Amino acid sequence: MGLMRETVVLLHGFAGTGRGWDPVVARLDAQRYTALTPDQRGHGARAGARPITFDAVAADVLALAPERFALCGYSMGGRIALHVALAAPERITHLTLVATTAGIDDEQARARRRADDAALAQAIEEEGLEAFAERWLAQPLFADDPPAAQTLARADIVRNDPAGLAQALRGIGTGAMEPLWDRLGALDMPATVLAGQRDAKFRELGERLAAGLPHAGTLLLARGAGHALPRVAPDAVAAAISR
């Protein structure tokens, strides 16, 4: 008898789709894992799904997944993964958080971020996806990524629709999220936290996540990598999931 394959649910980042996980899925052991890469509300095939709230997107994941599953989220997907894990901790066999955060705990900073997210949402609605892709990928988070990774990112962004992305920013952006730092201690499942070596902001946040999760151990770093780890360091992401 072969080993039972485990389902791993992979949650993409903002302005991506499930297709953004292709490089990681290609590196996962297919005899060990079945990968589910759903589009989140406001994105890809789910662009029109409403409402876009953390409770709704977490409920989508729990409805789609089997009774027990491994869970991995990147950036926005990591923030969603935390909501999923808090909603049904007994269902998660292993939690992998990639280049993400448990939210902004300073209220003024969060209000500033909410305003920035609202302004970006309006810009996406007014300028469309091509202009947004230029603006988004020029950020320091992505600007130094290799051309192949930038090409993948652009292809993924244009699978979206402006109204969906704008609503996702308003509903499940970092500014809209109540911080979860003080709830991490309740997440008792094995956990792994990964950040890019060059991604200073998320390296710091990753250290804080790893310290707050009871069974995460120390933060793992993807050598030489920036923020977009599913695109720029898929080997490191696949290894973190498989720990």
Side-chain angles (χ1 to χ4, degrees):
M1 247 180 74
L3 282 170
M4 283 288 290
R5 284 197 298 182
E6 181 168 32
T7 297
V8 59
V9 178
L10 304 168
L11 305 180
H12 64 76
F14 175 69
T17 71
R19 288 287 307 280
W21 288 105
D22 288 356
V24 174
V25 173
R27 287 161 174 84
L28 282 174
D29 181 349
Q31 290 177 302
R32 187 172 159 194
Y33 290 107
T34 301
L36 297 180
T37 58
D39 293 350
Q40 302 305 304
R41 289 184 183 221
H43 294 77
R46 303 275 287 140
R50 299 292 184 272
I52 305 178
T53 63
F54 284 108
D55 285 349
V57 291
D60 288 344
V61 174
L62 290 168
L64 167 93
E67 189 53 39
R68 298 270 292 159
F69 62 100
L71 179 62
C72 173
Y74 156 65
S75 202
M76 176 193 82
R79 295 185 294 106
I80 294 169
L82 285 172
H83 285 85
V84 174
L86 285 163
E90 70 291 343
R91 292 181 57 185
I92 313 298
T93 56
H94 180 229
L95 176 65
T96 308
L97 299 173
V98 178
T100 194
T101 178
I104 300 171
D105 37 16
D106 178 283
E107 281 194 30
Q108 284 176 307
R110 194 159 77 250
R112 282 196 300 275
R113 178 58 183 264
R114 218 168 22 250
D116 289 346
D117 286 349
L120 180 57
Q122 190 176 344
I124 294 170
E125 288 170 330
E126 289 171 0
E127 296 167 15
L129 292 176
E130 296 287 341
F132 164 68
E134 291 298 321
R135 175 200 290 243
W136 188 246
L137 296 174
Q139 294 180 98
L141 282 180
F142 309 118
D144 297 330
D145 289 353
Q150 288 264 359
T151 301
L152 275 177
R154 200 171 299 265
D156 217 20
I157 288 171
V158 298
R159 293 185 184 106
N160 286 293
D161 107 1
L165 291 186
Q167 276 308 108
L169 267 180
R170 295 180 181 118
I172 56 173
T174 310
M177 178 170 155
E178 289 295 317
L180 301 174
W181 296 104
D182 60 352
R183 298 180 62 193
L184 296 178
L187 296 176
D188 220 18
M189 70 287 295
T192 302
V193 185
L194 175 69
Q197 190 180 14
R198 291 194 293 107
D199 187 6
K201 174 184 171 181
F202 283 91
R203 216 171 57 207
E204 197 174 306
L205 289 163
E207 279 170 2
R208 195 176 165 196
L209 281 169
L213 290 162
H215 303 298
T218 54
L219 173 70
L220 300 184
L221 290 179
R223 286 180 58 179
H227 184 67
L229 296 182
R231 297 193 289 274
V232 300
D235 288 305
V237 178
I241 291 166
S242 304
R243 283 188 92 201

